[in-house]
Amino acid sequence: MKPLGTGSDDLTGHGGDRPPSAGLYVHIPFCRQKCPYCGFFSVPSPALIRPWMKTLLKEILLYEEGFGPFDSLYLGGGTPSLLSIPELTRIMTHLRAHFQFRPDTEITLEANPCDVSPEKLWGLRELGVNRISLGVQSFDARALAFLGRRHTVRDAENAVRHVKEAGFDNISLDLIYGFHAQPLQSWKETLHQAVSFAPAHLSCYELTIENRTYFGKLVQTGGLSPLSPDEARTCFLITSRLLEAYGYTHYEISSFARPENRYARHNWKYWRHAPYLGLGPSAHSFVNGRRWWNVRSVRTYMALLNRDERPVGGVEDLTESQLRLEAVALGLRTREGVATDRIGPSMEAQSRLSHLTDAGFLEICNGRVRPTRKGFLVADYLPAYLC
Amino acid sequence: MPNIRNFSIIAHIDHGKSTLADRLIQMSGLVEDRKFRDQILDNMDIERERGITIKSQAITLPYEDKTGRTFALNLIDTPGHVDFSYEVSRALASCEGVLLLIDAAQGVEAQTLANLYAAMEHDLEVIPVINKIDLPAADVDRVREEIEIDLGLDSDTAILCSAKQGTGIEAVFEAIVHRIPPPADNNKARLRALIFDAHYDPFRGTIVSCRVFEGCVRPGDTIRLMNNNARYKVEEVGIFRLAKEARKELCAGEVGYIISGIKRVSDTRVGATITLDHEPAPAPLPGFRDIRPVVFASLYPVASDDYRALADALEKYTLNDAALTYQKDSSAALGLGFRCGFLGLLHLEIVQERLEREFDQAIVMTSPTVQYQFQLTSGDRVLVDNPLYYPDPTTILQGFEPYIRASILLPERYMGVVMELCTERRGVNARFSYPTVGRVEIRFDMPLGEVIYDFYDRLKTVTQGYGSFDYDLLDHRESDLVKLDILLNGERVDALSQIVHRDGARSRALRICNRLKEEIPRHLFKIAVQGAIGGTIIARSTIAPFRKDVTAKCYGGDITRKRKLLEKQKKGKKRMKMVGAVSIPQSAFVAVLKSENE
Ligand SMILES: Nc1nc2c(ncn2[C@@H]2O[C@H](COP(=O)(O)OP(=O)(O)OP(=O)(O)O)[C@@H](O)[C@H]2O)c(=O)[nH]1
Ligand code: SF4
Ligand SMILES: [Mg+2]
């Protein structure tokens, strides 16, 4: 696995650990139907879109002061591509009216392959969207059926083509692996096919079974068995090696970029404690060591805003040591790692660190501790062990 | 001065002492019926959970006999288990008589006899009480015969009762007041009060339980502890009801408590005599015999910084458990700790549990061991009750280990399996007797070291709970002893070392290795668990590494949850002991002590 970056190891281009500009996230909590594995907050109630939008515009006003300028905007969900161009236009107009954006702001929209007609894509370009994250998930019909997706392989292929034809050069494809309905061979083929479209970015997620999802219930009742850790490990390693062979940089557990400066600018902020503002139900915000999150319900969200209250569900102020723990945990999920001095000077911490480097889980490079590919595989374990 | 009677209820375990105490308390009218609960004197959580008495408990009952005379009856309920016999012997020092309970179905058992002897040593009036006569299996005639033959008491004097059903209780009361002599009337003499128990109260300091033999003590008096001449002003005296009840004075013959702002825990010692400072008694009371621990193990705080807290807790704890002895100890794996002596395995278990529950101490306990002797080439003979001090093997001429006479009482049908178990545990010189039809008593000479390991558990299992076991210490006998070390990735965990007989070393080592394999969580690397004697590896197991632990997504909404998980893991890590790079959970040290069948 090649080290990240040439010369500077800072993807953000802001130098060292200095916090990058703020990011803005808008959660659009609607889907046509709920996917059986999805733990994101979304509801299959398109009728709520209109009234909800009104309240979103109210929420924007609440944060007019104090944030920005932003250099990333992420329209996520849910399925933002469900919204029509006029609806998205209203949102964008409002955002631009009340927030400041840098001229080169990266504006991402998550799209379902069914929703990307050429006309829609043109409309999105006009709105300033310059990055499309496409929920392809797989190029294997059986896998798509297992995942309960409503699009076909054909839809997916056409969607990618349309996005490219519409002139988007910053495309990310979301793919899911690690389930029995998609044997390793099929997964490799999906990867090859994904790469054949030469997207700048790939997010390859191992299927995570969350308790609150339909799959979670299936697992509990024995209707579904997850991969063994060894099988999952193999999938992870093959994904990483294959995509790196194609010239992608494996810069985060599930994220790959080619060239490496096409990393997901907005997501990167989550991993670097950069400030971000999240709007919409369930969205999280973080600034100056304070984190807060909106309620996880469209109706409560609307009700609160209609009473001119913040739709906030919880707040926490992180202590110095919590910040440190998070910084290490988040940093070690990225190839850039964390600054060595974050690990702590105690004898014990240092001996654990050298133990992990000796065993090939971490490497130290330019004053930073970085996970190797093997380290990525145990990234959830490393911080508690080190800190 | 009221008519006082001081007595203890003594018996073999489970013969119904606490239940009889319940009936006596109830009939004295001390507690309203609706507030009553069974075994009301067993007020510690551990006692209630396990259904056994661990601490002696005193209570003063009012009683009016048939003629209308009123009495104050000082009852002390005692534990029946052999590991708490020190509680019994101290209770007896405060009494003029005892109720010796015998289960009508079980008959005389090992502790019946042992406790009778203890009562006779104190020259106490013994009233045999046959309890549980309501049981279908009750065999009163047989028990009478045992009382005559085994105990050498007049069985005509025995009282029949059912503590559970409350029959025969009146006769018990009458026997107490008419057969047990009143305490000597010594109010005029100089104060001598014997401390037989104590406990630490964070607000009031040390509270001592005592029996006044001579003189009186009142609030405002300055008392003096005769063992160290420490002086205190008495704040409060009183007697035990279900709670403490303050009195104007405590006088000769009475049992009660004294609170005197004793803040320095180490000043008080069970067995010490209290006198008045301005009029001291010429000599202290005899006190108690020293305890001789039979099982030894070390205690360490889970987090090394908690050593002071543990020291403090132990000091306070021993006020309330005089049978525990301890001194400083240290281990490379576990840091600073304490070497403790216990009266048996149950005692050890209770100490550990009470320290954790009452004093909030997280502790790691090492494998219990007995006291070995080694004859060295230099001519010296050394005592070793801690594997850390196992002598250089090249200097050892001979090893010796303590033997016990084990006596096991069981239904005949289990004889085969028990014989097998005992010979496997190096039992020799088996003798049999048949106390009653269908029951057999087997006596064995057996190394104590074999018993402390997991013998009780195994015996219980193979006899499905029907075997009862008791032992006396015999002597030290020559034995081929070796030190078994446990290594984790080549590093010795000194706290897991044991002294064992050479023949059993390999199977013991294997068992420990397998246990540790179950208890030590997977690490990022492979862990070799080995058992070794000297440089020779005699057993091993391997803990495979885990190689994947990562979740695919971590965006804005996942970070808080992830951090909370990490914080929990960090807390868990604090409770682990590090040996080299290996973290060992507290449970692993405990698991090593458990039998393989559990
Ligand atoms: N049938 C019957 N059961 C009784 C009688 N007395 C006590 N028991 C039962 O015997 C068991 C033991 O009673 P305890 O009073 O706890 O015995 P103990 O002697 O205090 O036991 P230790 O304090 O542990 O030595 C309980 O389940 C009681 O309910 C009795 O007269 N008849
Ligand atoms: S996976 Fe995407 S489309 Fe499916 S329910 Fe979740 S947010 Fe909606
Ligand atoms: Mg009892």
Side-chain angles (χ1 to χ4, degrees):
Chain A
M1 196 172 172
K2 69 177 174 132
L4 254 190
T6 42
S8 154
D9 66 347
D10 180 18
L11 280 175
T12 60
H14 293 270
D17 275 329
R18 189 150 54 80
S21 303
L24 177 60
Y25 176 78
V26 180
H27 189 76
I28 293 154
F30 302 101
C31 295
R32 284 196 181 77
Q33 66 195 51
K34 195 73 197 164
C35 300
Y37 56 87
C38 173
F40 288 119
F41 175 69
S42 66
V43 292
S45 329
L48 283 176
I49 294 181
R50 287 194 151 267
W52 167 78
M53 272 194 32
K54 281 211 204 85
T55 51
L56 174 69
L57 303 184
K58 287 186 99 160
E59 194 188 11
I60 291 171
L61 297 181
L62 292 177
Y63 295 99
E64 204 172 4
E65 313 280 324
F67 262 96
F70 296 110
D71 73 348
S72 71
L73 167 61
Y74 198 100
L75 302 164
T79 313
S81 56
L82 258 186
L83 269 55
S84 64
I85 291 296
E87 284 164 340
L88 288 168
T89 308
R90 262 184 85 194
I91 296 178
M92 286 303 292
T93 314
H94 246 78
L95 291 174
R96 287 195 207 278
H98 297 284
F99 292 124
Q100 280 190 14
F101 292 92
R102 291 190 188 279
D104 62 340
T105 297
E106 179 176 284
I107 303 180
T108 307
L109 178 118
E110 280 183 343
N112 184 298
C114 296
D115 297 334
V116 284
S117 64
E119 305 75 51
K120 180 102 169 228
L121 288 164
W122 276 111
L124 291 172
R125 285 210 59 176
E126 303 229 301
L127 278 175
V129 173
N130 51 26
R131 186 170 180 270
I132 296 285
S133 168
L134 207 52
V136 166
Q137 318 311 354
S138 177
F139 288 110
D140 178 332
R142 270 184 59 210
L144 286 177
F146 169 81
L147 294 171
R149 301 294 301 195
R150 63 194 164 92
H151 66 268
T152 61
V153 174
R154 189 61 157 299
D155 292 336
E157 290 165 347
N158 285 337
V160 188
R161 224 164 278 133
H162 289 150
V163 174
K164 294 191 76 159
E165 282 163 11
F168 288 97
D169 67 340
N170 201 350
I171 304 175
S172 176
L173 304 184
D174 277 4
L175 302 173
I176 302 185
Y177 68 90
F179 45 96
H180 294 297
Q182 178 179 255
L184 197 53
Q185 192 49 41
S186 144
W187 168 238
K188 284 191 208 161
E189 280 161 21
T190 283
L191 282 175
H192 285 298
Q193 190 161 354
V195 170
S196 74
F197 292 109
H201 193 274
L202 283 161
S203 294
C204 300
Y205 299 114
E206 183 199 345
L207 177 67
T208 307
I209 308 272
E210 293 182 55
N211 282 335
R212 58 185 171 201
T213 63
Y214 175 70
F215 275 1
K217 295 200 179 70
L218 271 189
V219 167
Q220 279 158 27
T221 55
L224 176 64
S225 67
L227 291 196
S228 74
D230 275 342
E231 289 168 317
R233 180 171 191 268
T234 307
C235 288
F236 181 93
L237 292 175
I238 283 177
T239 307
S240 173
R241 290 204 190 100
L242 194 144
L243 291 178
E244 295 236 55
Y246 275 118
Y248 286 86
T249 300
H250 190 174
Y251 71 96
E252 189 263 354
I253 304 281
S254 307
S255 310
F256 300 82
R258 187 183 74 181
E260 68 187 49
N261 63 7
R262 290 302 185 99
Y263 68 95
R265 188 190 288 175
H266 184 80
N267 290 344
W268 190 250
K269 300 185 196 296
Y270 296 129
W271 305 322
R272 294 303 300 274
H273 270 161
Y276 46 87
L277 173 63
L279 304 174
S282 84
H284 282 58
S285 305
F286 179 83
V287 68
N288 290 334
R290 164 172 292 198
R291 178 175 294 123
W292 67 93
W293 47 92
N294 283 350
V295 292
R296 226 182 131 86
S297 148
V298 178
R299 288 186 192 282
T300 318
Y301 172 86
M302 296 196 305
L304 287 167
L305 281 164
N306 283 329
R307 290 203 305 257
D308 291 316
E309 288 174 39
R310 291 192 181 211
V312 172
V315 188
E316 62 183 0
D317 284 305
L318 303 185
T319 64
E320 213 27 66
S321 78
Q322 287 177 321
L323 277 171
R324 193 173 72 97
L325 183 62
E326 281 190 3
V328 173
L330 295 169
L332 291 185
R333 289 180 64 88
T334 66
R335 189 60 185 127
E336 191 179 276
V338 289
T340 322
D341 57 20
R342 294 299 248 172
I343 299 300
S346 79
M347 278 270 287
E348 193 189 321
Q350 287 304 315
S351 92
R352 283 167 180 255
L353 178 58
S354 67
H355 175 244
L356 289 176
T357 49
D358 291 349
F361 293 100
L362 297 176
E363 56 194 18
I364 296 180
C365 190
N366 295 333
R368 299 187 74 83
V369 182
R370 328 202 295 194
T372 61
R373 187 181 281 136
K374 201 170 135 189
F376 270 164
L377 268 164
V378 293
D380 283 359
Y381 176 82
L382 297 176
Y385 182 77
L386 272 176
C387 289
Chain B
M1 150 139 182
N3 294 302
I4 298 174
R5 298 292 183 274
N6 295 310
F7 67 100
S8 293
I9 311 180
I10 59 175
H12 192 80
I13 188 162
D14 268 355
H15 281 200
K17 297 173 290 295
S18 303
T19 309
L20 179 60
D22 283 352
R23 294 297 87 77
L24 297 176
I25 293 168
Q26 249 177 337
M27 294 212 13
S28 75
L30 203 58
V31 195
E32 285 171 58
D33 277 352
R34 70 184 168 84
K35 288 206 179 136
F36 206 83
R37 54 177 193 180
D38 285 345
Q39 283 95 34
I40 196 164
L41 292 181
D42 289 345
N43 51 21
M44 282 162 49
D45 287 345
I46 309 188
E47 295 183 313
R48 303 205 66 82
E49 281 160 23
R50 298 184 180 231
I52 57 169
T53 305
I54 288 163
K55 285 283 302 167
S56 285
Q57 188 78 39
I59 184 165
T60 304
L61 305 177
Y63 179 70
E64 191 179 313
D65 77 355
K66 290 189 183 120
T67 66
R69 272 207 301 165
T70 56
F71 293 85
L73 307 182
N74 292 321
L75 172 164
I76 304 181
D77 179 30
T78 66
H81 193 280
V82 56
D83 280 14
F84 309 113
S85 51
Y86 197 53
E87 290 285 320
V88 183
S89 71
R90 296 196 331 272
L92 294 179
S94 302
C95 296
E96 279 78 36
V98 295
L99 302 179
L100 177 63
L101 242 60
I102 303 145
D103 184 317
Q106 299 293 324
V108 168
E109 295 192 74
Q111 283 311 107
T112 318
L113 211 60
N115 286 332
L116 171 66
Y117 289 151
M120 287 172 32
E121 247 174 67
H122 283 86
D123 202 16
L124 305 183
E125 178 67 29
V126 176
I127 302 173
V129 178
I130 303 177
N131 184 34
K132 305 198 191 180
I133 55 169
D134 60 294
L135 285 178
D139 185 348
V140 173
D141 290 336
R142 192 197 93 213
V143 176
R144 282 189 191 280
E145 205 174 296
E146 289 175 2
I147 292 178
E148 295 276 347
I149 296 169
D150 297 336
L151 304 182
L153 299 173
D154 179 358
S155 69
D156 289 341
T157 65
I159 301 168
L160 303 188
C161 79
S162 163
K164 191 162 187 178
Q165 301 194 332
T167 53
I169 307 301
E170 195 58 38
V172 174
F173 269 120
E174 289 297 313
I176 292 167
V177 298
H178 294 121
R179 284 159 63 178
I180 296 176
D185 181 4
N186 283 327
N187 279 1
K188 299 286 170 296
R190 294 185 167 201
L191 175 68
R192 288 208 293 177
L194 180 67
I195 302 180
F196 65 85
D197 202 359
H199 71 274
Y200 185 81
D201 180 297
F203 302 106
R204 312 210 63 179
T206 304
I207 301 178
V208 302
S209 308
C210 62
R211 155 80 195 256
V212 183
F213 281 88
E214 286 142 27
C216 288
V217 57
R218 300 176 185 85
D221 287 348
T222 300
I223 52 169
R224 184 198 295 185
L225 300 180
M226 294 185 77
N227 57 316
N228 59 4
N229 287 325
R231 290 169 180 78
Y232 298 98
K233 189 154 202 117
V234 176
E235 292 170 3
E236 181 181 319
V237 302
I239 60 170
F240 299 104
R241 294 298 198 189
L242 281 170
K244 292 183 198 66
E245 195 173 289
R247 285 286 149 109
K248 286 205 292 289
E249 58 181 14
L250 272 187
C251 286
E254 291 189 295
V255 171
Y257 67 90
I258 300 177
I259 300 176
S260 54
I262 306 180
K263 285 277 156 34
R264 240 201 1 257
V265 175
S266 57
D267 278 358
T268 324
R269 202 167 49 86
V270 164
T273 300
I274 294 174
T275 189
L276 285 181
D277 189 41
H278 69 282
E279 274 181 356
L285 293 160
F288 303 116
R289 69 184 152 84
D290 275 342
I291 11 172
R292 208 158 43 104
V294 274
V295 178
F296 302 83
S298 296
L299 293 182
Y300 296 92
V302 170
S304 313
D305 350 340
D306 292 342
Y307 171 76
R308 282 289 346 142
L310 178 59
D312 191 49
L314 269 175
E315 193 172 49
K316 288 173 181 156
Y317 174 79
T318 44
L319 273 182
N320 197 238
D321 180 3
L324 177 69
T325 55
Y326 67 95
Q327 66 196 58
K328 269 192 191 165
D329 192 19
S330 74
S331 135
L334 299 175
L336 285 178
F338 296 94
R339 189 70 184 167
C340 300
F342 309 90
L343 290 188
L345 273 193
L346 180 62
H347 185 213
L348 170 147
E349 215 175 285
I350 297 292
V351 169
Q352 176 169 20
E353 210 172 310
R354 286 187 66 191
L355 282 171
E356 298 201 332
R357 290 163 70 146
E358 294 169 32
F359 294 89
D360 204 20
Q361 298 295 305
I363 49 188
V364 169
M365 186 175 275
T366 63
S367 317
T369 174
V370 297
Q371 192 171 58
Y372 297 97
Q373 297 178 359
F374 292 95
Q375 186 66 48
L376 304 182
T377 45
S378 64
D380 291 340
R381 193 168 170 123
V382 291
L383 303 180
V384 176
D385 61 29
N386 186 341
L388 287 183
Y389 305 122
Y390 180 78
D392 174 357
T394 60
T395 67
I396 298 177
L397 270 182
Q398 281 176 305
F400 300 87
E401 64 177 322
Y403 267 66
I404 56 167
R405 185 190 303 114
S407 93
I408 302 161
L409 203 60
L410 66 156
E412 233 166 348
R413 61 181 181 282
Y414 297 114
M415 211 164 109
V417 283
V418 171
M419 286 293 293
E420 205 176 303
L421 173 65
C422 292
T423 32
E424 177 198 310
R425 296 304 165 91
R426 296 189 286 137
V428 290
N429 195 12
R431 287 140 289 162
F432 307 92
S433 57
Y434 298 85
T436 50
V437 182
R439 288 170 74 78
V440 54
E441 182 180 10
I442 316 180
R443 284 170 208 268
F444 268 102
D445 294 358
M446 212 191 295
L448 176 61
E450 293 287 348
V451 172
I452 63 165
Y453 186 51
D454 62 354
F455 185 78
Y456 289 111
D457 293 336
R458 297 277 296 129
L459 181 71
K460 247 187 282 161
T461 312
V462 301
T463 65
Q464 294 167 318
Y466 284 103
S468 78
F469 167 78
D470 198 18
Y471 66 87
D472 306 302
L473 284 174
L474 287 175
D475 46 12
H476 273 75
R477 295 187 186 172
E478 188 176 349
S479 180
D480 187 3
L481 298 169
V482 293
K483 182 166 147 233
L484 169 63
D485 288 321
I486 302 296
L487 317 178
L488 291 179
N489 276 353
E491 271 197 67
R492 191 174 60 125
V493 187
D494 57 1
L496 290 178
S497 295
Q498 304 184 2
I499 297 173
V500 296
H501 190 269
R502 190 182 298 277
D503 292 348
R506 187 182 302 269
S507 68
R508 176 81 60 95
L510 205 60
R511 205 152 37 172
I512 295 175
C513 289
N514 288 332
R515 274 278 160 165
L516 290 175
K517 180 178 173 174
E518 286 163 28
E519 292 294 330
I520 297 177
R522 287 173 179 238
H523 282 52
L524 285 174
F525 44 85
K526 193 166 87 177
I527 303 170
V529 186
Q530 296 167 312
I533 297 175
T536 316
I537 305 296
I538 58 167
R540 71 172 288 146
S541 67
T542 308
I543 302 170
F546 74 80
R547 300 195 302 171
K548 180 177 173 296
D549 181 6
V550 62
T551 42
K553 291 187 182 177
C554 186
Y555 296 120
D558 306 306
I559 301 174
T560 298
R561 195 172 355 121
K562 180 145 273 161
R563 189 197 70 241
K564 286 190 173 152
L565 204 69
L566 286 172
E567 287 171 335
K568 215 169 107 195
Q569 284 171 348
K570 274 182 70 179
K571 266 214 193 104
K573 194 175 90 177
K574 270 223 176 101
R575 291 185 67 95
M576 300 248 198
K577 284 292 180 186
M578 294 296 298
V579 170
V582 182
S583 336
I584 315 175
Q586 186 191 12
S587 64
F589 292 93
V590 180
V592 169
L593 316 179
K594 289 271 152 81
S595 99
E596 60 194 321
N597 302 55
E598 267 175 67

